[in-house]
Amino acid sequence: MTITRHIPFAATALAALAAACAPVSDEQGPAATAVFSLTSPAFVESGPIPTRFTGDGENVSPPLAWSGAPTGTQSFALVLVDPDVPWGETVPVYGEMPPPGTQPADHFIHWIVTGIPSGTTSLPEGASPGNMPAGTIEPRTSFGLFGGEANQYGGPAPPPGTKAHAYRFVLYALDVASVPGVTAESDFAAVTSAMAGHVLAATTLTGYFGH
């Protein structure tokens, strides 16, 4: 799903994801000749994510490809979120989850990347960790809450016995080559706030994984 136009990007995770998933505007104009889209050769939209790319497997990032970025794109940012986390509940393996409100919009942040060069149209399998394009930054994810590695891709790992969770990859086309003020220590809220006013378009790819 894609939205294309200059998005008045709010400084909250919920607004960011809502904007990315909003219907495409009818006011795109004649310049909007291509649809900004994100796909993966590893799984289809709304399909299952292969175990290789999850916490049950090798936990490497899946291959991704995109096209149709709008004119004026200077870089891309990418996030991966799980909106189905049972915050505040006691679940197998993880025990008592942190309370609601612990993370922006109650999403578990699995991956954040900023500074992807504008000429890049894909990421190979296993790009994170260790094989990202030069100049990219991987800010902190929610895995730091559980003592995990917070500055790289962390694959789906829902609690056993729960429903399959949705995992939403959101790719943003930005009008800046680097997001101002973002470092490896920035979290999702800081990244989305810094992206405010710089998003030209966003597109999503959703996969599912469960036990």
Side-chain angles (χ1 to χ4, degrees), residues 105-116:
D106 283 338
H107 290 83
F108 191 98
I109 315 303
H110 282 258
W111 196 20
I112 311 174
V113 187
T114 64
I116 302 172

Side-chain angles (χ1 to χ4, degrees), residues 2-10 16 19-20 22-25 27-28 31-32 34-37 68-77 118 170-177 179 194-203:
T2 305
I3 182 167
T4 304
R5 60 191 170 92
H6 205 290
I7 299 171
F9 202 71
V24 178
S25 170
E27 301 176 357
Q28 295 182 43
V35 175
F36 188 34
S37 63
T71 300
T73 298
Q74 297 297 308
S75 70
F76 300 99
S118 60
V170 187
L171 182 71
Y172 303 96
L174 307 178
D175 65 3
V176 288
V179 182
M195 286 167 57
H198 296 295
V199 177
L200 299 174
T203 183

